[in-house]
Amino acid sequence: FTAAIAVISSCGPHITASAGESSNIKCLRDCIELLSNVLTIEESPSVNEPKNSALQQLKRGCIFAIERLSSNSSLWTTIASTFVPGVSQYLFGYIDDNDGLAPLDNANIGAALRAIQRVVSLPTNARTVAHTGIGAALSSLICIRNDSDEDESYTTRSSEGAISQIDCDVENLALQLLHSLAPFITAMCDHDYENAGLIHSGAVDAACCSLSSNRDPVNTKLGLELFLSIISEVENIGEPMRDAHSSLFVNTVMKHNGFIRRLCATMLHSGAAGNNATQMEPIYGPALSLSEESCANFGSSLHAAVSILFSIAAYCSLTDSLVNTAFWDAFFEKRSRSIKDSSGKQASIVAACAVFLNYLGDEGTGICVPKDVSKLEYYLSVLLPCVRERLLYGLHTAFMEINALSGKCDQKDSSLQNVLHHFGVTQACLSMCTTSANIDSAFTVLETLLHDFPDVTLSAICSENHSLGTVFEMLSIPAESDYNDTKPETLRQFSALALSLAGKQGILGPATKRFGLRSVAIASLSAACLADQLDTGECIEEDLAGSGLSIPTMCIRSLVGVLSLDNKTDEGMIILSSGEAKAISSSLGKKLSEIILARFMKHAEGQDLENDTDPDENDNDVSVTESPEVLLLCALASKKEALSDLCAHGGLDALSLVAAEGETSAILALHEACRGDPSPIIDVEGHVSVMQVIASAKNNASRDVELACMDLLVTLCTETKLGRDAVSDAEFCDSCIEFASHLICSLTSKGGDDLTDNESSVENEVDESEDKKTKKKIDTKKIDTSRILVVEQQLPITLASLSFLTALLSVQKCREKIFQDDKLRECLKLMALYSGPSIVQHAVVLFLSASARYIRKDCTEESYSVHFMSLIFHSVIESPQSGKSKQGFHESNFPAFNNASGLQEECNQNLVHASACSAIECLLCYMTAELRSEITLTLQRLFTAVLDYATSPGKKLERKMRNSGMLICSITSIFVRLLGSAENNVLLLNSSLLNSFIKFAMTNPPKVLPKDILGENKTYW
């Protein structure tokens, strides 16, 4: 018989089914059937050992013969129908009777599997083979090394233990065969779904065992695809048996803890890949050996492994509590005896949960989303929320364990913070806070993160467009939304707190700009700020981070953070467009004003606005004017488009209180609001606030604050009588006058030396003798006049002070106060003669000119006498036109100060002389004849000089032609006044002056110099 087998083995592969040889093929088929029957002969224990050994040898020969014959494709059908059933029976008997496989046994089984592998390459044969029950035998063969219960201490297992041995090639062949037959085995469920299919063939055990022990990426791919076929079978089984199949599936899987760990390790490894800083504890052991090729319908083996893990998690969560608990205990490593509880272990669990949640984040085209549209609704409504809920619970439990292990969660633990950052825990939880399915658990984790890890949480929120957008979306969840335990106002409170803290750190503004969310942020925060009436008392009393701040306050602070683009809100500048300012002021103007007014009331009572228990907020260390609410109010008030809305909603009251604290932006806003109609400012006593700042400015106010206050007072005093009366009647008016006087006098002193002490009065220097006429001017050699030079930084406040005093001259009590200041009078005299640039001299001349109006009423010989002022004005007009551009000053750099002069032209010496001439005209009738004669002669020379320059040939300098018409007009006006009396007529009968008159009339400079004499200057000419 053995010899016959050898002949068949040698000749059979070469016999084909061609004509004339059909009988040979039939004979071979009969032989195959005979050889297959030999495999079914049972080995009886009662038979002696030599006979059983001979039978085993005979079976081996039959197997090797059929393997040789399998190379003949004409015999495949016969092999599939007769040999495979015999092999299945042979394998079952062999595996049951033997604890181990000898090398010769591995060779026999390998030969049988190779024969079947050739046969199943035809689908019809594969279908026939599948119906023989070979799948169960293959599954048992794969599990031969893993048929004992797995020890959870996988790290302590030894390869030297007494376990069954199977050749890797045999195991690989079995896996390949089972993988090839899987679709056909599953198809059998259509006829016998109670006993057929992969579930009942032991394929679940086989796949789990193979994936638990295999190191070959190719076999891993086959094992994953086999497992996916099993899951597909469970999902598509008929409704009557679906629950039974699902229960059998999860109960079988849960016998293989090592397989579950490998899936978890594979997922966790994928999340930590590429991040050297994230050194995770290997709580799950080694990962699967994956290939880069596609796996089934997935782009990679990794995606297939994650999908399998999700399916197992979902089915376990939907079954009885024991299986559910067993799976999640394995996932969270609660029963592992090899790894002790530690913060590192909990950090790895946090990472695993976060990676899993991230894989489940895409609900449209994610890895775990079913390809079958009909299953999508069940996935989204049942499976996905179920798994997410357990993962979120695991996250929260891990944080609690970390707190328990360390006493308090250590924010300095860089490894844990790195896990939170790298694995996107915050982002994963935020993605679930806009749907009702898992919002309660996700929000619980977010609260823990914000409380224990604020820096990491805020950085995560501001690092992604979607995360930041989600936080803004949480601000506007409608009140009628039903989210079980999580109320909409609680979500708003969390979002407002997180955003306000991010704004305080200076990361919110750049993030909203980078992601294009600025408009969304403004709209969401404004709406949330006004929704406080919808918030329950419960929510307001809750305190997520010990801040104790109300939602509107936190929203406003967040808004400041959005609008601030510098690193820190309290140092950065709020940048607003006109449209944004209008939108915010119209919606939040009233609320903002209310918050600030309430803050001032609390501050006045010696309390902080909202809470003084949390040192982290530092509210007690921040002045009222430095609070974000005040910064926003002042920024809005600086925009004309927003000012009207603020004024209409109580904003001026708040601005007035802020201005009283010396806040420059608030003062500037009040200044803008008072233009045209100062009554709203006066009604809220805004002028009193700024005067109060001036009254205390000597000690603590900056120059910018002083300038802003003086500018506001100048506008009030010059534009309307109402404003001027309000300022003059205020309690601090005398203090403001003293401030302006002190500031002006300080310009004529240096190092404590007063220049006025080094010169005698003008009256004492006047010698009535014609021979000593040159001594009528102050001896400049005695005075360091360069020290009266007003530097550019002092220029605005100097002009504002002069304008303020000039405006108050029309109020008698103020005028009397000013005229009583002897030091101020002497300083003004020096500045009128020696100050630079011209605009300062011009402002002084205007003050003296205004004083001249009251020459007969309030002025005395001891103060502003006619002789005193006439001599000053005479000295001014005698100064050369080019003499005032001193020490690097360029007059073109200093436009005329509007409040000081009321003119739009740039100031130069022509304008100074013109103003002096106007003052001389007021004093003309009060002068002595001698002084009037001297002044007239000086005016004649000045008139002639200006006219000669204008009519001379050649190009004209713009600075000399500017305001020349006003000067000519002012001089001529004095000449007309002198014609009123015969005594003064003689002063004009000067041949040189008459020649100039004739020359003027004949040349007509405005006509001959159209390019040099323009606009208003032409009108004066």
Side-chain angles (χ1 to χ4, degrees), residues 518-519 522 563 574-587 635-646:
R518 188 175 169 102
S519 299
I522 293 174
L563 302 174
I574 295 179
I575 300 177
L576 275 169
S577 67
S578 299
E580 290 171 344
K582 178 67 176 177
I584 295 174
S585 61
S586 60
S587 59
L636 291 172
S638 66
K639 299 289 184 179
K640 294 182 180 179
E641 296 80 5
L643 195 55
S644 58
D645 289 318
L646 292 177

Side-chain angles (χ1 to χ4, degrees), residues 370-587:
K371 305 299 186 291
D372 189 348
V373 179
S374 61
K375 301 175 183 177
L376 183 60
E377 182 179 356
Y378 183 71
Y379 167 82
L380 294 175
S381 60
V382 179
L383 299 181
L384 182 62
C386 187
V387 175
R388 279 177 169 175
E389 190 70 20
R390 294 310 302 259
L391 293 172
L392 290 169
Y393 172 78
L395 274 176
H396 185 258
T397 303
F399 289 133
M400 296 301 101
E401 291 287 342
I402 292 172
N403 281 332
L405 289 170
S406 60
K408 183 179 180 182
C409 196
D410 187 6
Q411 296 187 31
K412 304 298 184 181
D413 186 351
S414 58
S415 62
L416 184 57
Q417 292 198 40
N418 189 55
V419 167
L420 297 175
H421 170 73
H422 175 72
F423 293 99
V425 179
T426 303
Q427 294 91 326
C429 294
L430 281 173
S431 65
M432 290 174 278
C433 280
T434 54
T435 58
S436 59
N438 301 103
I439 190 170
D440 291 338
S441 298
F443 186 68
T444 300
V445 176
L446 283 175
E447 286 183 305
T448 303
L449 288 171
L450 186 61
H451 184 272
D452 294 341
F453 307 95
D455 292 341
V456 177
T457 304
L458 297 177
S459 176
I461 290 174
C462 295
S463 64
E464 291 185 3
N465 190 341
H466 182 266
S467 298
L468 187 56
T470 299
V471 176
F472 288 129
E473 186 178 347
M474 290 165 62
L475 286 170
S476 55
I477 292 178
E480 61 272 12
S481 301
D482 183 13
Y483 288 146
N484 300 325
D485 297 333
T486 306
K487 299 179 178 62
E489 57 264 32
T490 306
L491 295 175
R492 283 200 298 274
Q493 185 186 45
F494 170 85
S495 299
L497 176 59
L499 292 171
S500 65
L501 293 176
K504 187 176 182 180
Q505 291 186 4
I507 61 177
L508 182 58
T512 53
K513 181 180 180 181
R514 183 168 63 253
F515 299 130
L517 294 174
R518 188 175 169 102
S519 299
V520 174
I522 293 174
S524 300
L525 290 168
S526 300
C529 186
L530 299 175
D532 58 325
Q533 67 273 13
L534 304 176
D535 299 334
T536 62
E538 234 176 88
C539 166
I540 295 175
E541 291 171 3
E542 290 179 358
D543 196 355
L544 295 178
S547 66
L549 299 174
S550 65
I551 291 180
T553 300
M554 289 189 290
C555 287
I556 288 178
R557 295 189 174 191
S558 303
L559 192 57
V560 173
V562 169
L563 302 174
S564 301
L565 298 182
D566 288 353
N567 292 332
K568 292 291 183 181
T569 297
D570 54 356
E571 297 176 0
M573 178 183 297
I574 295 179
I575 300 177
L576 275 169
S577 67
S578 299
E580 290 171 344
K582 178 67 176 177
I584 295 174
S585 61
S586 60
S587 59

